[in-house]
Amino acid sequence: MSARTKHEYHVSVTRMRYDAAQKSLEISVRAYTDDLEKGLSLANDNRRFVLRNDDQNNSYLEQYLRKHFALAGPDRRLRAFQYIGKEEEADATWLYLEVPFSGNPEGWVLRHDLLMETFDDQVNMVNVKWGEERKTYLFKKSQSVQAL
């Protein structure tokens, strides 16, 4: 029996922030832990996952993210991200990524279909901060790729 709070909707929130000094895009994805566990399970032959700060599941999470989260430049070449790690918080888990980045976001494209194969109603909200400019994007099953 899980001690986590049950929820009726399936949503993740992603924050993307450009760090000009480091020339990198810092990305944090917050998703319900039980949703991530279910998504990981389905992606790994129904193996049972329990996500905790001190678990040994980072390689599975990184592999899952690489399949469902991708950033491409104006040339449409995929930009590799570095998986930094995760952090458990109440009923959610934060996933941290970093992408080397310079220039401006014009023409960049993001595919964010995290958990959409698990839940038909999954919505992934992305908040992007570039200097003083802020934008929000909603990724749904019918719209999982968008230009930034």
Side-chain angles (χ1 to χ4, degrees):
M1 186 78 107
S2 176
R4 295 195 175 109
T5 305
K6 296 290 180 195
H7 53 276
E8 295 181 25
Y9 51 92
H10 301 99
V11 65
S12 77
V13 177
T14 300
R15 294 187 302 207
M16 299 174 72
R17 185 181 75 83
Y18 179 62
D19 183 335
Q22 297 295 319
K23 292 189 178 179
S24 70
L25 195 56
E26 298 171 346
I27 303 167
S28 55
V29 180
R30 183 185 185 275
Y32 286 110
T33 302
D34 61 329
D35 291 353
L36 278 174
E37 290 169 344
K38 185 171 184 177
L40 284 174
S41 176
L42 291 174
N44 291 279
D45 299 320
N46 293 318
R47 176 182 169 173
R48 185 170 184 265
F49 285 87
V50 177
L51 297 178
R52 300 281 182 261
N53 286 334
D54 59 351
D55 65 31
Q56 301 298 313
N57 295 317
N58 277 328
S59 63
Y60 294 100
L61 280 165
E62 181 177 358
Q63 180 181 16
Y64 184 77
L65 281 167
R66 291 198 184 282
K67 184 176 178 184
H68 296 285
F69 188 93
L71 190 64
D75 58 3
R76 299 301 182 241
R77 280 190 21 239
L78 290 179
R79 301 305 200 259
F81 63 76
Q82 179 181 359
Y83 175 76
I84 306 298
K86 70 176 175 337
E87 183 177 22
E88 185 183 9
E89 170 194 272
D91 60 351
T93 298
W94 284 97
L95 307 168
Y96 301 107
L97 316 171
E98 191 172 79
V99 177
F101 198 98
S102 61
N104 67 54
E106 281 296 315
W108 285 72
V109 175
L110 177 64
R111 178 177 47 85
H112 191 353
D113 59 6
L114 188 81
L115 297 170
M116 289 182 187
E117 80 293 351
T118 307
F119 306 105
D120 287 334
D121 64 341
Q122 178 72 31
V123 174
N124 298 320
M125 183 170 70
V126 177
N127 297 308
V128 179
K129 183 176 184 215
W130 200 273
E132 296 303 312
E133 186 177 352
R134 296 172 190 256
K135 290 186 179 180
T136 299
Y137 303 88
L138 290 180
F139 290 77
K140 301 175 187 174
K141 203 164 200 163
S142 63
Q143 192 175 15
S144 63
V145 177
Q146 294 185 49
L148 300 178

